[in-house]
Amino acid sequence: MENRKGWHSRGYLPHYDVANVYQFITVRLYDSVPDDVLEIWRLEKQSKGSQEDRSLAEDCLEKYDVSSYGFCAFNNDEIAGMSQQALLYHHNKKYELLEWCIMPNHIHVLIKTNDLFPLSEIVHSWKSFIASKANRILGRSGKFWMSDYFDRYIRNDQHFHSTIDYIRNNPVKAKLVGVAGEWTWSSINWK
């Protein structure tokens, strides 16, 4: 078992990894945010403190949660379905999977971590498995994911419920469907 790191950074975004907390995670395809936007974020990070960075990054990333920018591999039903099964595979083993939504170019997940598996190991497992299978399905190789991921630990009940609402309604906000229950690749259909 890897030691928990608390607050740390592996690149642009700061991460918080402790056991037994609820975590909201977003993983993005490698081209889901334009390179020029990523460069602006990197430059802003050099001039601001970590909490300001996190708020700025959240505001900017939210803009791309409702766009279908880039490759959009999850528009392929086989890849979206395989990805959903990958998230479900370790439910109640490595984490408790509470909510998820697979969008065209990113995935949102709400989990509760446990004592045995660090968050970075969980996310690495998802990304590695999904990338390998998706690239095989698409008959391609190479980069699939953006190197870093976004995570936010859930602070209280209000934050918990607003995160669930955000995940469930992301396809509606993106104008992909009229109501959340119409989106195939979401936990709302598994309840």
Side-chain angles (χ1 to χ4, degrees):
M1 178 176 76
E2 179 182 313
N3 289 333
R4 299 292 186 180
K5 297 178 182 177
W7 283 107
H8 66 284
S9 178
R10 296 180 309 104
Y12 178 74
L13 297 171
H15 300 281
Y16 184 62
D17 189 6
V18 297
N20 299 310
V21 296
Y22 294 102
Q23 290 274 13
F24 170 49
I25 303 151
T26 300
V27 291
R28 299 180 169 285
L29 296 181
Y30 72 96
D31 66 347
S32 64
V33 178
D35 288 339
D36 59 329
V37 173
L38 292 173
E39 184 58 27
I40 290 168
W41 294 348
R42 284 186 197 96
L43 293 172
E44 288 174 346
K45 180 179 194 262
Q46 293 171 359
S47 65
K48 297 187 180 194
S50 65
Q51 193 58 37
E52 290 176 37
D53 285 344
R54 192 168 190 89
S55 296
L56 176 65
E58 288 169 8
D59 291 344
C60 291
L61 289 175
E62 187 168 344
K63 175 182 175 185
Y64 290 94
D65 275 355
V66 295
S67 73
S68 292
Y69 187 87
F71 178 47
C72 296
F74 301 116
N75 279 335
N76 178 309
D77 285 348
E78 185 178 0
I79 294 171
M82 172 273 299
S83 300
Q84 185 165 264
Q85 289 304 311
L87 297 175
L88 288 161
Y89 187 76
H90 289 293
H91 171 55
N92 287 331
K93 299 171 202 142
K94 292 186 175 185
Y95 48 82
E96 180 183 353
L97 180 62
L98 300 153
E99 296 285 335
W100 69 90
C101 182
I102 300 170
M103 296 291 286
N105 64 3
H106 64 279
I107 299 175
H108 293 301
V109 182
L110 177 64
I111 65 171
K112 183 175 184 189
T113 60
N114 66 36
D115 293 333
L116 301 176
F117 300 97
L119 184 61
S120 59
E121 183 180 310
I122 293 166
V123 175
H124 173 75
S125 173
W126 292 337
K127 288 174 73 174
S128 177
F129 180 83
I130 292 170
S132 175
K133 293 278 252 186
N135 276 336
R136 213 169 314 140
I137 290 167
L138 295 168
R140 67 183 289 274
S141 62
K143 191 170 185 175
F144 190 79
W145 296 108
M146 189 177 284
S147 60
D148 214 347
Y149 60 90
F150 171 84
D151 64 89
R152 178 127 205 196
Y153 80 97
I154 304 301
R155 291 161 177 77
N156 54 42
D157 282 343
Q158 180 182 356
H159 190 202
F160 180 82
H161 293 291
S162 67
T163 300
I164 290 172
D165 185 58
Y166 181 84
I167 292 170
R168 289 181 177 183
N169 286 297
N170 204 231
V172 176
K173 191 173 179 182
K175 298 181 178 21
L176 298 171
V177 292
V179 295
E182 294 174 348
W183 190 247
T184 302
W185 309 113
S186 171
S187 53
I188 198 166
N189 296 309
W190 286 73
K191 302 294 179 195

